[in-house]
Amino acid sequence: TTHECALAMAVDSGSLHAAARAHTGLARASTAMGDLESARRHWQAARDQHRELGLPESAEITAGLACSVAAGG
């Protein structure tokens, strides 16, 4: 997928910000497809990276993670 390519490129280039955004996209896509385990993993990675960077989206991502866990992911 596009998000998987974006994540690979971000990791290769060492861009934590781009990786965080790619994980967020992968988490949303996984949630939409009902793959809650994958969604949980990506929400966690996105949350950790957003927090490390001090990005304001971390609250939204924490909420996404909470919903994923509550749904059984």
Side-chain angles (χ1 to χ4, degrees):
T1 68
T2 302
H3 293 300
E4 290 169 330
C5 290
L7 180 57
M9 291 172 55
V11 170
D12 287 345
S13 70
S15 174
L16 189 58
H17 185 262
R21 293 182 56 84
H23 277 296
T24 300
L26 284 163
R28 288 180 179 144
S30 296
T31 299
M33 294 185 332
D35 186 352
L36 300 180
E37 179 58 30
S38 177
R40 183 188 57 78
R41 284 192 315 271
H42 288 295
W43 281 126
Q44 285 177 325
R47 179 201 57 200
D48 294 347
Q49 292 171 347
H50 276 80
R51 282 182 179 170
E52 184 175 338
L53 293 166
L55 298 174
E57 295 93 339
S58 61
E60 173 196 349
I61 291 162
T62 298
L65 175 59
C67 289
S68 177
V69 169

Coordinates of all heavy atoms in Angstrom, one line a residue:
T1 N 0.8 -1.2 0.0 CA 0.0 0.0 0.0 C 0.9 1.3 0.0 O 2.1 1.2 0.2 CB -0.9 0.0 1.2 OG1 -0.1 0.2 2.4 CG2 -1.8 -1.2 1.4
T2 N 0.3 2.4 -0.2 CA 1.0 3.6 -0.2 C 1.6 3.9 1.1 O 2.7 4.4 1.2 CB 0.0 4.8 -0.6 OG1 -0.5 4.5 -1.9 CG2 0.7 6.1 -0.6
H3 N 0.8 3.6 2.2 CA 1.3 3.9 3.5 C 2.5 3.0 3.9 O 3.5 3.4 4.5 CB 0.2 3.7 4.6 CG -0.8 4.7 4.5 ND1 -0.6 6.1 4.7 CD2 -2.2 4.6 4.3 CE1 -1.8 6.7 4.6 NE2 -2.7 5.8 4.3
E4 N 2.5 1.7 3.4 CA 3.6 0.8 3.7 C 4.9 1.3 2.9 O 6.0 1.3 3.5 CB 3.3 -0.6 3.2 CG 2.2 -1.2 4.1 CD 1.7 -2.5 3.5 OE1 1.6 -2.7 2.3 OE2 1.3 -3.4 4.3
C5 N 4.7 1.8 1.7 CA 5.8 2.4 1.0 C 6.3 3.7 1.7 O 7.6 3.8 1.8 CB 5.4 2.8 -0.5 SG 5.1 1.3 -1.5
A6 N 5.4 4.5 2.2 CA 5.8 5.7 2.9 C 6.6 5.3 4.1 O 7.6 6.0 4.5 CB 4.6 6.5 3.2
L7 N 6.2 4.3 4.8 CA 6.9 3.9 6.1 C 8.3 3.4 5.7 O 9.2 3.8 6.4 CB 6.1 2.8 6.8 CG 6.7 2.3 8.1 CD1 7.0 3.4 9.1 CD2 5.8 1.2 8.7
A8 N 8.4 2.6 4.7 CA 9.7 2.1 4.3 C 10.6 3.2 3.9 O 11.8 3.2 4.3 CB 9.5 1.1 3.1
M9 N 10.1 4.2 3.2 CA 11.0 5.3 2.8 C 11.4 6.1 4.0 O 12.5 6.6 4.1 CB 10.2 6.1 1.7 CG 10.1 5.4 0.4 SD 9.0 6.3 -0.8 CE 9.8 7.9 -0.9
A10 N 10.4 6.3 4.9 CA 10.7 7.1 6.1 C 11.8 6.4 7.0 O 12.7 7.1 7.4 CB 9.5 7.3 7.0
V11 N 11.7 5.1 7.1 CA 12.7 4.4 7.9 C 14.0 4.4 7.2 O 15.1 4.7 7.8 CB 12.2 2.9 8.1 CG1 13.3 2.0 8.6 CG2 11.0 2.9 9.0
D12 N 14.0 4.2 5.9 CA 15.3 4.3 5.1 C 16.0 5.7 5.2 O 17.2 5.7 5.3 CB 15.1 4.0 3.7 CG 14.8 2.5 3.4 OD1 15.0 1.7 4.3 OD2 14.3 2.1 2.3
S13 N 15.2 6.7 5.2 CA 15.7 8.1 5.3 C 16.0 8.6 6.7 O 16.6 9.6 6.9 CB 14.8 9.1 4.6 OG 13.6 9.3 5.3
G14 N 15.5 7.8 7.7 CA 15.7 8.2 9.1 C 14.7 9.3 9.5 O 15.0 9.9 10.6
S15 N 13.6 9.5 8.8 CA 12.7 10.6 9.2 C 11.6 10.0 10.2 O 10.7 9.4 9.8 CB 12.0 11.1 7.9 OG 11.0 12.0 8.3
L16 N 11.8 10.3 11.4 CA 10.8 9.9 12.5 C 9.5 10.5 12.2 O 8.4 9.9 12.4 CB 11.4 10.2 13.9 CG 10.6 9.7 15.0 CD1 10.6 8.1 15.0 CD2 11.3 10.1 16.3
H17 N 9.4 11.8 11.8 CA 8.2 12.5 11.6 C 7.4 11.8 10.4 O 6.2 11.5 10.6 CB 8.4 13.9 11.2 CG 7.1 14.7 11.1 ND1 6.6 15.0 9.8 CD2 6.3 15.3 12.0 CE1 5.5 15.7 10.0 NE2 5.3 15.9 11.3
A18 N 8.0 11.5 9.3 CA 7.4 10.8 8.2 C 6.9 9.4 8.7 O 5.9 8.9 8.3 CB 8.3 10.7 7.0
A19 N 7.7 8.7 9.5 CA 7.4 7.4 9.9 C 6.1 7.4 10.8 O 5.2 6.6 10.7 CB 8.5 6.7 10.7
A20 N 6.1 8.4 11.7 CA 4.9 8.6 12.6 C 3.7 8.8 11.7 O 2.6 8.2 12.0 CB 5.1 9.8 13.5
R21 N 3.7 9.6 10.7 CA 2.6 9.9 9.9 C 2.2 8.6 9.1 O 1.0 8.3 8.9 CB 2.8 11.0 8.9 CG 3.0 12.4 9.7 CD 3.2 13.5 8.8 NE 2.2 13.7 7.8 CZ 1.0 14.3 7.9 NH1 0.7 14.8 9.1 NH2 0.2 14.5 6.9
A22 N 3.2 7.9 8.6 CA 2.9 6.6 7.9 C 2.2 5.6 8.8 O 1.2 4.9 8.4 CB 4.1 6.0 7.3
H23 N 2.7 5.5 10.1 CA 2.1 4.6 11.0 C 0.6 5.0 11.3 O -0.3 4.2 11.4 CB 2.8 4.5 12.3 CG 4.0 3.6 12.3 ND1 3.9 2.2 12.2 CD2 5.3 3.8 12.5 CE1 5.1 1.7 12.2 NE2 6.0 2.6 12.4
T24 N 0.4 6.3 11.4 CA -1.0 6.8 11.6 C -1.9 6.4 10.4 O -3.0 5.9 10.6 CB -1.0 8.3 11.7 OG1 -0.2 8.7 12.9 CG2 -2.4 8.8 12.0
G25 N -1.4 6.5 9.2 CA -2.2 6.1 8.0 C -2.4 4.6 8.0 O -3.5 4.2 7.7
L26 N -1.4 3.8 8.4 CA -1.6 2.4 8.4 C -2.5 2.0 9.5 O -3.3 1.0 9.3 CB -0.2 1.7 8.6 CG 0.7 1.7 7.4 CD1 2.1 1.4 7.7 CD2 0.2 0.6 6.4
A27 N -2.5 2.7 10.6 CA -3.5 2.4 11.7 C -4.9 2.6 11.3 O -5.8 1.8 11.5 CB -3.1 3.2 13.0
R28 N -5.1 3.8 10.6 CA -6.5 4.1 10.2 C -6.9 3.1 9.1 O -8.1 2.7 9.1 CB -6.5 5.5 9.6 CG -6.4 6.6 10.6 CD -6.4 8.0 10.0 NE -6.3 9.0 11.0 CZ -5.6 10.1 10.9 NH1 -5.0 10.4 9.7 NH2 -5.6 11.0 11.9
A29 N -6.1 2.7 8.2 CA -6.4 1.8 7.2 C -6.7 0.4 7.8 O -7.7 -0.2 7.4 CB -5.3 1.7 6.1
S30 N -5.9 0.0 8.7 CA -6.1 -1.3 9.3 C -7.4 -1.3 10.1 O -8.1 -2.3 10.1 CB -4.9 -1.6 10.3 OG -3.7 -1.8 9.6
T31 N -7.7 -0.2 10.8 CA -9.0 -0.1 11.5 C -10.1 -0.2 10.6 O -11.1 -1.0 10.8 CB -9.0 1.2 12.3 OG1 -8.0 1.2 13.3 CG2 -10.4 1.3 13.0
A32 N -10.1 0.5 9.5 CA -11.2 0.4 8.5 C -11.4 -0.9 7.9 O -12.5 -1.3 7.6 CB -10.9 1.5 7.4
M33 N -10.3 -1.7 7.8 CA -10.4 -3.1 7.2 C -10.7 -4.1 8.3 O -10.9 -5.3 8.0 CB -9.0 -3.4 6.5 CG -8.8 -2.6 5.3 SD -7.3 -3.0 4.3 CE -6.2 -3.7 5.5
G34 N -10.8 -3.7 9.5 CA -11.1 -4.6 10.6 C -9.9 -5.4 11.1 O -10.1 -6.3 11.9
D35 N -8.7 -5.0 10.7 CA -7.5 -5.7 11.2 C -7.1 -5.0 12.5 O -6.1 -4.2 12.5 CB -6.4 -5.7 10.1 CG -5.2 -6.5 10.5 OD1 -5.1 -7.0 11.7 OD2 -4.4 -6.7 9.7
L36 N -7.7 -5.3 13.6 CA -7.5 -4.6 14.8 C -6.1 -4.8 15.5 O -5.6 -3.9 16.1 CB -8.6 -4.9 15.8 CG -10.0 -4.5 15.3 CD1 -11.0 -4.9 16.4 CD2 -10.1 -3.0 14.9
E37 N -5.6 -6.0 15.3 CA -4.2 -6.3 15.8 C -3.2 -5.4 15.1 O -2.3 -4.8 15.7 CB -3.9 -7.7 15.7 CG -2.5 -8.1 16.2 CD -2.2 -7.7 17.6 OE1 -3.2 -7.8 18.4 OE2 -1.1 -7.4 18.0
S38 N -3.3 -5.3 13.8 CA -2.4 -4.5 13.0 C -2.6 -3.0 13.4 O -1.7 -2.2 13.5 CB -2.6 -4.7 11.5 OG -1.8 -3.8 10.8
A39 N -3.9 -2.6 13.5 CA -4.2 -1.2 13.9 C -3.6 -0.9 15.2 O -3.0 0.2 15.4 CB -5.7 -1.1 13.9
R40 N -3.7 -1.8 16.2 CA -3.1 -1.5 17.5 C -1.6 -1.3 17.4 O -1.1 -0.4 18.0 CB -3.4 -2.7 18.5 CG -2.9 -2.4 19.9 CD -3.1 -3.7 20.8 NE -2.4 -4.8 20.2 CZ -1.0 -5.0 20.3 NH1 -0.3 -4.1 20.9 NH2 -0.5 -6.1 19.8
R41 N -0.9 -2.2 16.7 CA 0.5 -2.0 16.6 C 0.9 -0.7 15.9 O 1.8 0.0 16.4 CB 1.1 -3.2 15.7 CG 1.2 -4.5 16.4 CD 2.0 -5.5 15.7 NE 1.8 -5.6 14.3 CZ 0.8 -6.4 13.7 NH1 0.1 -7.1 14.4 NH2 0.7 -6.4 12.4
H42 N 0.2 -0.3 14.9 CA 0.5 1.0 14.2 C 0.1 2.2 15.1 O 0.9 3.2 15.1 CB -0.1 1.0 12.8 CG 0.5 0.1 11.9 ND1 1.8 0.3 11.4 CD2 0.1 -1.0 11.2 CE1 2.1 -0.7 10.6 NE2 1.1 -1.5 10.4
W43 N -1.0 2.1 15.8 CA -1.4 3.2 16.7 C -0.3 3.3 17.8 O 0.1 4.5 18.1 CB -2.7 2.9 17.4 CG -4.0 3.2 16.6 CD1 -5.0 2.3 16.3 CD2 -4.3 4.4 15.9 NE1 -6.0 2.9 15.5 CE2 -5.6 4.2 15.3 CE3 -3.7 5.7 15.7 CZ2 -6.2 5.2 14.5 CZ3 -4.4 6.6 15.0 CH2 -5.6 6.4 14.4
Q44 N 0.2 2.2 18.3 CA 1.2 2.3 19.3 C 2.5 3.0 18.8 O 3.1 3.8 19.4 CB 1.5 0.9 19.9 CG 0.5 0.4 20.8 CD 0.8 -1.0 21.3 OE1 1.3 -1.8 20.6 NE2 0.4 -1.3 22.6
A45 N 2.9 2.5 17.6 CA 4.1 3.1 17.0 C 3.9 4.6 16.7 O 4.8 5.4 17.0 CB 4.5 2.3 15.7
A46 N 2.8 4.9 16.2 CA 2.5 6.3 15.9 C 2.5 7.2 17.2 O 3.1 8.2 17.2 CB 1.2 6.4 15.1
R47 N 1.8 6.6 18.2 CA 1.8 7.4 19.5 C 3.2 7.6 20.0 O 3.5 8.7 20.4 CB 0.9 6.6 20.5 CG 0.9 7.3 21.8 CD 0.5 6.3 22.9 NE 1.5 5.2 23.0 CZ 1.2 4.0 23.6 NH1 0.1 3.8 24.1 NH2 2.2 3.1 23.6
D48 N 4.0 6.6 20.1 CA 5.3 6.7 20.6 C 6.1 7.7 19.8 O 6.8 8.5 20.4 CB 6.0 5.3 20.6 CG 5.3 4.3 21.6 OD1 4.5 4.8 22.4 OD2 5.6 3.1 21.5
Q49 N 6.1 7.6 18.5 CA 6.9 8.6 17.7 C 6.3 10.0 17.8 O 7.1 10.9 17.9 CB 6.9 8.1 16.2 CG 7.7 6.8 16.1 CD 7.6 6.1 14.8 OE1 6.8 6.4 14.0 NE2 8.5 5.1 14.6
H50 N 5.0 10.2 17.8 CA 4.5 11.5 18.0 C 4.9 12.1 19.3 O 5.2 13.3 19.4 CB 2.9 11.5 17.8 CG 2.5 11.6 16.4 ND1 2.4 10.5 15.6 CD2 2.0 12.6 15.6 CE1 2.0 10.8 14.4 NE2 1.7 12.1 14.4
R51 N 4.8 11.3 20.3 CA 5.2 11.8 21.7 C 6.7 12.2 21.7 O 7.1 13.2 22.2 CB 5.0 10.8 22.7 CG 3.5 10.6 23.1 CD 3.4 9.6 24.2 NE 2.0 9.5 24.7 CZ 1.5 8.6 25.5 NH1 2.4 7.6 25.9 NH2 0.3 8.5 25.8
E52 N 7.5 11.3 21.1 CA 8.9 11.6 21.0 C 9.2 12.9 20.3 O 10.1 13.7 20.7 CB 9.7 10.5 20.3 CG 11.2 10.6 20.3 CD 11.9 9.4 19.7 OE1 11.3 8.3 19.7 OE2 13.0 9.6 19.3
L53 N 8.4 13.2 19.3 CA 8.6 14.4 18.5 C 7.9 15.6 19.1 O 8.1 16.8 18.7 CB 8.2 14.2 17.1 CG 9.0 13.2 16.3 CD1 8.3 12.8 15.0 CD2 10.4 13.9 15.9
G54 N 7.0 15.4 20.1 CA 6.2 16.5 20.7 C 5.2 17.0 19.8 O 4.8 18.2 19.9
L55 N 4.6 16.2 18.9 CA 3.6 16.6 18.0 C 2.2 16.6 18.6 O 1.9 15.8 19.4 CB 3.6 15.7 16.8 CG 4.9 15.6 15.9 CD1 4.8 14.6 14.9 CD2 5.2 17.0 15.3
P56 N 1.4 17.6 18.3 CA 0.1 17.7 18.9 C -0.9 16.6 18.6 O -1.8 16.4 19.3 CB -0.4 19.1 18.4 CG 0.3 19.3 17.1 CD 1.7 18.6 17.3
E57 N -0.6 15.9 17.5 CA -1.5 14.8 17.2 C -1.5 13.6 18.1 O -2.3 12.7 18.0 CB -1.2 14.3 15.8 CG -1.4 15.3 14.6 CD -0.1 16.0 14.3 OE1 0.8 16.1 15.2 OE2 -0.1 16.6 13.2
S58 N -0.6 13.6 19.1 CA -0.5 12.5 20.0 C -1.8 12.2 20.7 O -2.1 11.0 21.0 CB 0.7 12.6 21.0 OG 0.5 13.7 21.8
A59 N -2.6 13.2 21.1 CA -3.9 12.9 21.8 C -4.9 12.2 20.9 O -5.5 11.2 21.3 CB -4.5 14.3 22.2
E60 N -4.9 12.5 19.6 CA -5.8 11.8 18.6 C -5.4 10.4 18.5 O -6.2 9.5 18.4 CB -5.8 12.5 17.3 CG -6.5 11.8 16.2 CD -6.2 12.2 14.8 OE1 -5.6 13.3 14.6 OE2 -6.6 11.5 13.9
I61 N -4.1 10.2 18.4 CA -3.5 8.9 18.2 C -3.7 8.0 19.5 O -4.1 6.8 19.4 CB -2.0 9.0 17.9 CG1 -2.0 9.6 16.5 CG2 -1.3 7.6 17.9 CD1 -0.6 10.1 16.1
T62 N -3.6 8.6 20.7 CA -3.9 7.9 21.9 C -5.3 7.4 21.9 O -5.6 6.3 22.3 CB -3.5 8.7 23.1 OG1 -2.1 9.0 23.1 CG2 -3.9 8.0 24.4
A63 N -6.2 8.3 21.4 CA -7.7 7.9 21.4 C -7.9 6.8 20.4 O -8.7 5.9 20.6 CB -8.5 9.1 21.0
G64 N -7.2 6.8 19.2 CA -7.3 5.7 18.3 C -6.9 4.4 18.8 O -7.5 3.4 18.6
L65 N -5.8 4.5 19.6 CA -5.2 3.3 20.2 C -6.2 2.7 21.2 O -6.5 1.5 21.3 CB -3.9 3.6 20.9 CG -3.3 2.4 21.7 CD1 -3.1 1.2 20.8 CD2 -2.0 2.9 22.3
A66 N -6.8 3.6 22.0 CA -7.8 3.2 23.0 C -9.0 2.5 22.4 O -9.5 1.5 22.9 CB -8.2 4.4 23.9
C67 N -9.5 3.1 21.3 CA -10.6 2.5 20.6 C -10.2 1.1 20.0 O -11.0 0.1 20.1 CB -11.1 3.4 19.5 SG -11.9 4.9 20.0
S68 N -9.0 1.0 19.5 CA -8.6 -0.3 18.9 C -8.5 -1.4 20.0 O -8.9 -2.5 19.8 CB -7.2 -0.1 18.3 OG -6.7 -1.3 17.8
V69 N -7.9 -1.0 21.2 CA -7.8 -1.9 22.3 C -9.2 -2.3 22.8 O -9.4 -3.5 23.0 CB -6.9 -1.3 23.4 CG1 -7.0 -2.2 24.6 CG2 -5.5 -1.2 22.9
A70 N -10.1 -1.3 22.9 CA -11.4 -1.6 23.4 C -12.2 -2.6 22.5 O -13.0 -3.3 23.0 CB -12.2 -0.3 23.6
A71 N -11.9 -2.5 21.2 CA -12.6 -3.3 20.2 C -12.0 -4.7 20.1 O -12.4 -5.5 19.4 CB -12.5 -2.6 18.9
G72 N -10.9 -4.9 20.9 CA -10.3 -6.2 20.9 C -9.0 -6.4 20.1 O -8.5 -7.5 19.8
G73 N -8.4 -5.3 19.7 CA -7.2 -5.3 18.8 C -6.0 -5.4 19.6 O -5.9 -5.5 20.8

